[in-house]
Amino acid sequence: MKQGRGFRHHLAAAFTGFVDLRSVLALLPPCVLFLTFLTLSSSSSDSPLAGILRPSSSDGLPAAGITNGSRIAICLVGGSRRFELTGPSLVRHLLGEYREADVFLHSPLDGDAYKLSLLKEVAPRISAARIFSPWALPVTAAHKLVLTATGSPNGIQGLLQYFNLVEGCLRMIKKHESRRNFTYGWIIRTRLDGYWSATLGPEAFRRGVYVVPAGSRYGGLNDRLGVGDRATSEVALSRLSLLPRLDRAGLRLLNSESAFRAQLARSRVAWREVRAPFCVVSDRRYRFPPVANGVPVAAMGSPGPLSGAKCRPCQPACAGSCAAKVAKGLDPRWSWTEWRNDSLRLCDASHGWAEGWERVFDRVAGAEAAAKRRKMARLDVATCAEDFKVMREKAARWESPPAKEICRLGLLRRPANSTTKFA
Ligand SMILES: *[C@@H]1O[C@H](CO)[C@@H](O)[C@H](O)[C@H]1NC(C)=O
Ligand SMILES: *[C@@H]1O[C@H](CO)[C@@H](O)[C@H](O)[C@H]1NC(C)=O
Ligand SMILES: *[C@@H]1O[C@H](CO)[C@@H](O)[C@H](O)[C@H]1NC(C)=O
């Protein structure tokens, strides 16, 4: 079995719409593709860095949930593969904690996009949503030098797609800012496949410092969540447009995490790792027990915080001194994650999700989340389409294929009791 190499996780999780790519390409004339690319690439300036090379001096911590009165944008990116499990936790612990924050959604259209109907309850807070059919991004000679395809199932193209999801969210935020003539003070960027077990602490908000989760570094910086003020976020989210700068600096063979660290370092943005109470829900299988560069998969319900480690609902196969022993064998520069104080309990992820995972999830996530999970499992096309219609009406801006298309794509071909659709 292939073991984990950084970014392929992102891709698998953040971009499940690859199957759609070819059909979309087939439909569009090449000039349209090219023009679209030009528009995108020229709208994101090559130099979003001017004036922000300010080292962190003011270590001002805004009080929890306040951030000193400045406005917060929450950027939700990636595929919605297990959103029936992660969505309610995001709504409760992140959107619920920062009630004044505006929500930006950037997600590829695929067979799971219908699950975004869960966001109906926060629709009035959605400043912009974009659910799009992905197209191939041009891979330049510089991309081929700077990035490595090693470990990425969709190669360099897959990395670029992931970067585009992230940077696309920044573009949406900037458009909103210029339309409304204001700027956000803070941007929280996170993934749709993150399961949150608690709220972020105030230590995540540090002026002049980009805050990322601890552990799961994969040779660079954990990029599964990021919190920063407006200036540091601009650098951190400019994942595509900063690649030429990394090339000019002679950097080579980077994965997502090492490219991320390099773009902050090159732009003189300081970072800080903090522990954050979320994990990335994954269907992928990994050798167990993980050693060296192997990927630990935490049990949802580990005391945590898991700081974005992979997780699934399972009966832990290894906890206490066993988890300690495994974690001590992991490379701290790679997949290592904090384990002390019993924070980490491990699943044997060498097979698909075990039968009965629903019960485990329901117990861990609580009655409200369990009810939402069951409701999603029963969702039909008509109700789904109605939910999307409501969201479209309430959101400030909404860009997606017709609701029926999104709902049919997922619900009409959904096998009964599907648990391993993308495993
Ligand atoms: C919060 O606002 C006060 C008063 O305007 C200011 O002195 C302080 O520096 C601000 N702190 C942060 C973190 O922005
Ligand atoms: C935008 O805001 C700035 C500063 O708050 C103000 O000076 C400017 O007139 C505003 N522009 C528009 C078009 O409202
Ligand atoms: C473990 O728990 C103790 C007591 O609550 C705390 O002081 C310590 O920082 C914790 N260590 C880790 C690594 O979480």
Side-chain angles (χ1 to χ4, degrees):
M1 179 185 305
K2 278 176 281 176
Q3 276 293 356
R5 285 271 164 176
F7 47 78
R8 77 174 159 77
H9 317 301
H10 294 282
L11 229 226
F15 187 72
T16 56
F18 236 77
V19 203
D20 302 318
L21 192 56
R22 255 169 284 154
S23 53
V24 172
L25 280 175
L27 291 175
L28 292 176
C31 58
V32 173
L33 287 178
F34 186 61
L35 282 179
T36 319
F37 168 68
L38 277 186
T39 318
L40 286 180
S41 55
S42 59
S43 67
S44 49
S45 148
D46 185 32
S47 177
L49 311 166
I52 53 157
L53 308 182
R54 162 172 53 90
S56 67
S57 50
S58 65
D59 261 4
L61 292 184
I66 294 170
T67 63
N68 225 2
S70 57
R71 301 182 65 165
I72 307 178
I74 297 180
C75 186
L76 303 176
V77 302
S80 33
R81 176 179 358 207
R82 289 288 189 177
F83 200 61
E84 74 277 27
L85 311 185
T86 59
S89 77
L90 267 170
V91 168
R92 178 172 166 206
H93 292 301
L94 208 59
L95 308 191
E97 173 74 358
Y98 307 104
R99 290 179 182 281
E100 309 299 318
D102 293 340
V103 177
F104 293 82
L105 171 70
H106 198 208
S107 188
L109 174 67
D110 62 25
D112 291 300
Y114 75 93
K115 296 174 182 171
L116 295 170
S117 59
L118 258 170
L119 291 174
K120 187 175 84 169
E121 62 182 285
V122 296
R125 291 172 54 188
I126 298 180
S127 294
R130 183 164 181 267
I131 302 169
F132 66 101
S133 296
W135 60 82
L137 297 165
V139 182
T140 66
H143 292 154
K144 286 183 189 157
L145 292 171
V146 174
L147 300 172
T148 172
T150 308
S152 171
N154 295 303
I156 286 174
Q157 176 63 226
L159 275 179
L160 296 179
Q161 293 289 344
Y162 174 66
F163 294 168
N164 184 52
L165 273 173
V166 173
E167 187 153 349
C169 203
L170 178 63
R171 287 192 294 262
M172 288 160 62
I173 288 172
K174 283 176 163 177
K175 267 194 196 154
H176 189 72
E177 286 176 333
S178 66
R179 273 194 297 265
R180 301 281 168 100
N181 197 26
F182 74 94
T183 51
Y184 288 101
W186 299 91
I187 299 176
I188 302 174
R189 198 271 305 179
T190 191
R191 299 163 49 131
L192 290 165
D193 57 2
Y195 171 80
W196 288 76
S197 53
T199 59
L200 260 178
E203 69 277 11
F205 297 85
R206 301 179 74 91
R207 263 182 208 292
V209 180
Y210 201 70
V211 168
V212 298
S216 303
R217 295 186 184 106
Y218 293 93
L221 281 184
N222 186 329
D223 65 354
R224 296 170 183 180
L225 162 76
V227 184
D229 60 28
R230 184 63 179 70
T232 57
S233 288
E234 176 119 14
V235 174
L237 303 182
S238 295
R239 301 224 48 191
L240 267 186
S241 53
L242 285 178
L243 290 175
R245 174 180 278 236
L246 303 186
D247 175 42
R248 286 195 297 274
L251 298 173
R252 297 293 176 254
L253 294 173
L254 305 177
N255 65 9
S256 180
E257 286 87 353
S258 53
F260 185 46
R261 184 177 60 193
Q263 83 188 54
L264 293 182
R266 286 271 135 196
S267 309
R268 304 211 183 117
V269 168
W271 61 79
R272 190 184 167 95
E273 296 177 315
V274 306
R275 294 177 73 188
F278 78 104
C279 61
V280 168
V281 178
S282 171
D283 279 275
R284 296 187 67 90
R285 299 168 191 203
Y286 298 97
R287 184 177 298 159
F288 183 84
V291 292
N293 285 355
V295 177
V297 176
M300 263 168 144
S302 295
L306 293 169
S307 295
K310 292 292 166 104
C311 67
R312 54 160 76 178
C314 78
Q315 301 289 355
C318 172
S321 58
C322 171
K325 194 170 154 225
V326 170
K328 280 180 192 164
L330 297 175
D331 187 338
R333 294 160 303 180
W334 204 258
S335 52
W336 179 89
T337 192
E338 179 61 74
W339 53 270
R340 282 167 290 179
N341 288 354
D342 190 35
S343 60
L344 178 67
R345 294 174 188 168
L346 293 169
C347 301
D348 176 350
S350 56
H351 295 93
W353 289 16
E355 206 168 310
W357 67 261
E358 292 93 342
R359 277 196 309 281
V360 175
F361 173 81
D362 292 357
R363 179 164 43 76
V364 164
E368 202 184 318
K372 288 184 177 163
R373 177 187 70 73
R374 284 192 292 267
K375 196 170 162 209
M376 184 60 70
R378 288 193 309 264
L379 189 65
D380 58 60
V381 172
T383 314
C384 170
E386 183 56 32
D387 289 349
F388 270 96
K389 213 179 114 216
V390 171
M391 284 199 289
R392 192 189 278 269
E393 278 162 12
K394 292 193 176 164
R397 276 189 106 77
W398 189 275
E399 192 188 320
S400 80
K404 273 228 163 77
E405 193 179 310
I406 298 174
C407 297
R408 283 195 181 131
L409 189 60
L411 293 169
L412 287 188
R413 65 177 191 205
R414 181 167 57 167
N417 284 329
S418 154
T419 57
T420 53
K421 194 154 64 164
F422 294 99

